[in-house]
Amino acid sequence: MTYLANVRLQNPLVHNITNIVVTNFTANGLLALGASPFMADAHEEVQDVAKMSGAVVLNIGTLNDHTIQSMLLAGQSANTHGVPVVLDPVGAGATAYRTDVTQALTSQIQLAALRGNVAEVANVVGERWSSKGVDAGEGEGDVIALAQKAARKLVCTVIITGKEDVISNGDNTYIVSNGHPILTKVTGTGCLLTSVVGAFLAVSNGNFLEASVEAVSFYGVAAEIAARLTAHQGPGSFQVEFLNQLALVTPEIFKEMSQIKKLT
Amino acid sequence: MTYLANVRLQNPLVHNITNIVVTNFTANGLLALGASPFMADAHEEVQDVAKMSGAVVLNIGTLNDHTIQSMLLAGQSANTHGVPVVLDPVGAGATAYRTDVTQALTSQIQLAALRGNVAEVANVVGERWSSKGVDAGEGEGDVIALAQKAARKLVCTVIITGKEDVISNGDNTYIVSNGHPILTKVTGTGCLLTSVVGAFLAVSNGNFLEASVEAVSFYGVAAEIAARLTAHQGPGSFQVEFLNQLALVTPEIFKEMSQIKKLT
Amino acid sequence: MTYLANVRLQNPLVHNITNIVVTNFTANGLLALGASPFMADAHEEVQDVAKMSGAVVLNIGTLNDHTIQSMLLAGQSANTHGVPVVLDPVGAGATAYRTDVTQALTSQIQLAALRGNVAEVANVVGERWSSKGVDAGEGEGDVIALAQKAARKLVCTVIITGKEDVISNGDNTYIVSNGHPILTKVTGTGCLLTSVVGAFLAVSNGNFLEASVEAVSFYGVAAEIAARLTAHQGPGSFQVEFLNQLALVTPEIFKEMSQIKKLT
C-alpha cells in the first residue's frame, strides 16, 4: 500500500462541502498532508467543482437547506463522472433532522465511503444505538457486525472510528489500532479524517477499502507522534503539532508504526 | 464555588449559534475546558438541540435573517425547557441593525446572562455610550451602575468585560480583576468567554451570578498564565497556550490566582 | 514609506466580506498586524459598515448569491464614501460561475486594488491562462504585461502574487521578492494578504500603489522570519509563528529585509 506517497505526488483536488466549524482546520490538514482542498457550496458551481475533483467529501456538521441541496448536486455530479464520494454523518441520530438528511443523502448518492462514530453509522442505516458510552472498546463484536451490515446495505466502504477503528466493505474487514484519545479534545478531527480519506480515495484507482484503511492508520500515526511530542502541554499545542505531523510522517515512519489487523 | 470542577465532571452540552469567525475557536475552547460544544442553526433542529443542551449561547457577530430566526427558535425552546440562555451582543450600537436585533432578541427571550463590553451592553438597554475610549478602567462607577441597571431591566446576570470585569444581577455586584490585555489581540476571546459562561451556567443549578463570576475569573486566570508563558512571543503563541491553559488550570490554581471582589 | 507604522498607529477598521474558510485567520492576522477587523455580510448593515471603515475587502472564496449581493452593496457604499475597495478573485477561472461573478463585481465597483495569482487576474480581465504550472518564475515578462494591462483596464492597482510578486498601477510597476514557499501550505495566506493590503490602503491617503507594494513586501518579510524560526517543524508551527511575526516585525526590520525593485 503506497497511497500516502501517491497523495503527495499527485496533490489530488478534494472538494469539501463541510460545516462552518471545521473549514479552516480541514483545509490546513489537507494542505499539510499534500492534497489540494477546494471548498465550494454554491449551487451554480458545485457540479463543476465535483467533476474536476479527485474526491468529494460531504459533511453535515452544520447542515441547512441550502447546503443539503449543494451536497445532492455535488454528489450526483461526482457519481456521474466517477469521482468517489465520502460522507461524514455528523450527529446523525442526535436530531431527527440529521437522521432524515443522512438517509436522504445515502438514498440519492452512491457513496465510496462513509466515516462516522458507531452511533452515527448505526443511525444512517436505521439501527438504534445509544449515543452514550459507546466506543469500539466496549462491544467490539457488535461494531464489526454493524460495519459489515452498513457496508453491504450502502454498497460502500464503512469506517467506524472509536478507540479502535473498524473498516469494512462488507466482504473484508480491518481493525486499525492507531490514534490517541487527545484527538477528541480538538474539534473537527473526525471531520478532517473524513477529508483525508477522500484524499486517499482520490489516488486509489478504485481500491477504496485498502486506501481507507491506510488513511485511517496514517492519521492515527500522525496523532500518536504529535501526542508524544506535546505530552502534558494541552490540546492547543497538540493541534499545531498534529498539522506538522500530517506533513512530516513519511511512508517509512507510517509503515513502522501502522497497526492494521485484517479479520479472517 | 466549585463550578469549574463540575464542568469537567459533567461535560455539559453547550449549544452555540455563533458567528462564522469564531466557530472553530469556540468549539476548541469549550472542548479544552471540558464541555461539549454543539453548533447548529438549521431551523428544523435548533429547538431539539436547545432542549437537550445544558445551555444555549447566542452570538450576533455575523448575524443575518436566517440566524436571527434560528436564535429566536432556540432561545424560546430553551426558555420553555428551563435551559439557561446567554447572549453576546457583538457590535450592538455599531450599526442600527445590530441594535435592533439585540433589542428584539432580549424582548422575546428571557436571558440568564448577557456578556458584552460596556458599549454593547449600554446599547442593548437603550443607553447611549460612545464606543471609543471606554473601558472598565475609566469611569468605573458608571460601568457598575450600567451593569446593575441592565441586570434589573433584563432580569438576568449582566457581565461587562473590560480592563476590570463587572458582574451583577441587579442586587449583588462583583468586580473581577483577572485577565490580560493580549486577549484583545486574538479574535473571538470575548465570544469564547460568553460560551464558557454558558458551560458554567449549565452546571450552576440556577446560581447564575456566582457561576458567571467564577467563569469570568477562571478565564482571566487562564489568560494570565498563558500570557506569562508566551511573553514576547506574540498573539499566535498566546492563542495556542491559552487553549492549553483552559484545559490545565485546576480548581486549586484557580483559587490561588482568582481576584474577585464583592461590592457591598 | 511608513505605512506599517501608520497601520499600528491608526488601527484602521477593515471591513471583510470573505470566505468561510479564512474568517478566523484573517481576523487574527489583522489583529496581530495592528488593524481592526470587522466581518459583516448582512444586507441590512453592510452599507453602514463599509461607510465607517478604512477599507473594504471582498473575497469570493466561498461565494453564493447572498454574499455576492452583500459585496455589491458594500462595494458601492465604499465607492460613494471614498473608502478603498480591494478584491480577491479566489478561483476566478476555475468555474464559469466565479469568472462571471468577478466580472460582474469589477464592472459595478471601482476597485482600489485587485490581488490574485496570475490565473485569477488573467481571468478577471478576460485573458486566457492555464491554471497549471503558472507562477511569476516562469514567463515573468508575461506576468508583468498582464499586471499592467489589468491595471489599465480596471483603473486600479493590480497585485499578482507568485514566486515573485508584481504590483502595477499601469504606469509604474514593482517587483517584490520577499516571501516563502511554505505560505502555500497554509490556507488563506493569499486571502489574508489581500486584507493586509486593505489595512495599508486605509492609511495610504490615496497612494494605493506604494501602500500595496509595502504591504506585500512586509507580509513576505514576516513569512521569511517565521519560516526561518520554524524550519523543519511543519506548517502548523509556521502558521502560529507567522501570526507572531505580523505583530513583531518593526518598520526597522522591514526596511532591512524588504526586497522591492521598481521597473523603469
Side-chain angles (χ1 to χ4, degrees), chain A residues 11 18 20 23-24 27-28 31-32 34-35 37-42 44-45 48-49 52 66 240-241 243-245 247-248, chain C residues 20-22 24-25 61-65 91 94-98 184-188 232-240:
Chain A
N11 306 125
T18 188
I20 56 170
T23 44
N24 185 267
N28 274 329
L31 282 171
F38 198 142
M39 270 66 177
D41 63 17
E44 291 87 346
E45 68 174 0
D48 291 347
V49 176
M52 74 177 78
H66 180 271
V240 172
E241 188 58 39
L243 287 174
N244 288 343
Q245 292 303 322
L248 297 177
Chain C
I20 55 171
V21 183
V22 305
N24 185 268
F25 184 59
T62 54
L63 75 178
N64 59 49
D65 285 346
T95 66
Y97 181 52
R98 287 175 190 240
T184 64
K185 288 296 183 184
V186 176
T187 196
H232 313 302
Q233 289 180 35
S237 297
F238 169 76
Q239 182 183 359
V240 171

Side-chain angles (χ1 to χ4, degrees), chain B residues 20-25 60-65 91 94-98 132 184-188 232-240, chain C residues 11 18-20 23-24 27-28 31-35 37-42 44-45 48-49 52 66 239-241 243-245 247-248:
Chain B
I20 56 170
V21 183
V22 306
T23 45
N24 185 268
F25 184 59
I60 66 161
T62 53
L63 74 178
N64 59 48
D65 285 346
T95 66
Y97 181 50
R98 287 174 190 241
K132 281 240 169 186
T184 64
K185 288 295 183 185
V186 177
T187 196
H232 313 302
Q233 290 180 34
S237 297
F238 169 76
Q239 182 183 0
V240 172
Chain C
N11 306 126
T18 188
N19 70 71
I20 55 171
T23 45
N24 185 268
N28 275 329
L31 283 171
L33 168 63
F38 198 142
M39 270 67 175
D41 64 17
E44 292 86 347
E45 68 175 0
D48 291 347
V49 177
M52 75 177 78
H66 181 271
Q239 182 183 359
V240 171
E241 188 57 39
L243 287 173
N244 288 344
Q245 293 303 322
L248 297 178

Side-chain angles (χ1 to χ4, degrees), chain C:
Chain C
M1 295 197 289
T2 58
Y3 302 109
L4 173 58
N6 281 333
V7 168
R8 296 208 173 121
L9 200 64
Q10 299 179 32
N11 306 126
L13 194 66
V14 180
H15 179 197
N16 299 274
I17 302 179
T18 188
N19 70 71
I20 55 171
V21 183
V22 305
T23 45
N24 185 268
F25 184 59
T26 299
N28 275 329
L30 287 172
L31 283 171
L33 168 63
S36 184
F38 198 142
M39 270 67 175
D41 64 17
H43 298 166
E44 292 86 347
E45 68 175 0
V46 286
Q47 292 168 308
D48 291 347
V49 177
K51 181 181 166 179
M52 75 177 78
S53 295
V56 171
V57 178
L58 309 177
N59 176 306
I60 67 162
T62 54
L63 75 178
N64 59 49
D65 285 346
H66 181 271
T67 50
I68 293 165
Q69 183 62 22
S70 308
M71 290 184 196
L72 286 171
L73 290 168
Q76 289 168 348
S77 172
N79 280 174
T80 301
H81 296 94
V83 175
V85 179
V86 192
L87 175 66
D88 191 327
V90 181
T95 66
Y97 181 52
R98 287 175 190 240
T99 304
D100 293 349
V101 166
T102 48
Q103 294 181 355
L105 289 172
T106 53
S107 72
Q108 295 178 58
I109 300 167
Q110 175 57 51
L111 301 181
L114 174 77
R115 204 289 314 165
N117 64 36
V118 67
E120 290 162 349
V121 171
N123 273 282
V124 172
V125 294
E127 303 279 316
R128 287 179 178 273
W129 204 287
S130 157
S131 58
K132 282 238 168 188
V134 172
D135 63 39
E138 314 172 31
E140 188 184 303
D142 287 334
V143 176
I144 291 168
L146 174 64
Q148 292 168 334
K149 184 172 177 181
R152 285 188 200 114
K153 183 162 179 180
L154 300 172
V155 194
C156 75
T157 293
V158 168
I159 303 160
I160 301 180
T161 47
K163 204 167 155 187
E164 293 194 307
D165 307 314
V166 179
I167 301 117
S168 179
N169 67 357
D171 294 324
N172 291 298
T173 303
Y174 292 81
I175 307 286
V176 171
S177 306
N178 295 108
H180 193 279
I182 199 173
L183 282 168
T184 64
K185 288 296 183 184
V186 176
T187 196
T189 52
C191 304
L192 173 54
L193 170 55
T194 306
S195 290
V196 167
V197 168
F200 277 65
L201 295 197
V203 301
S204 72
N205 287 318
N207 295 319
F208 298 153
L209 178 63
E210 282 192 4
S212 296
V213 169
E214 184 171 321
V216 170
S217 179
F218 160 76
Y219 197 79
V221 165
E224 289 170 26
I225 298 174
R228 197 178 63 216
L229 292 176
T230 61
H232 313 302
Q233 289 180 35
S237 297
F238 169 76
Q239 182 183 359
V240 171
E241 188 57 39
F242 182 56
L243 287 173
N244 288 344
Q245 293 303 322
L246 290 175
L248 297 178
V249 170
T250 60
E252 292 69 34
I253 295 170
F254 167 61
K255 188 175 284 183
E256 198 181 303
M257 294 182 62
S258 178
Q259 300 206 36
I260 298 170
K261 180 173 73 177
K262 186 172 182 179
L263 297 187
T264 51

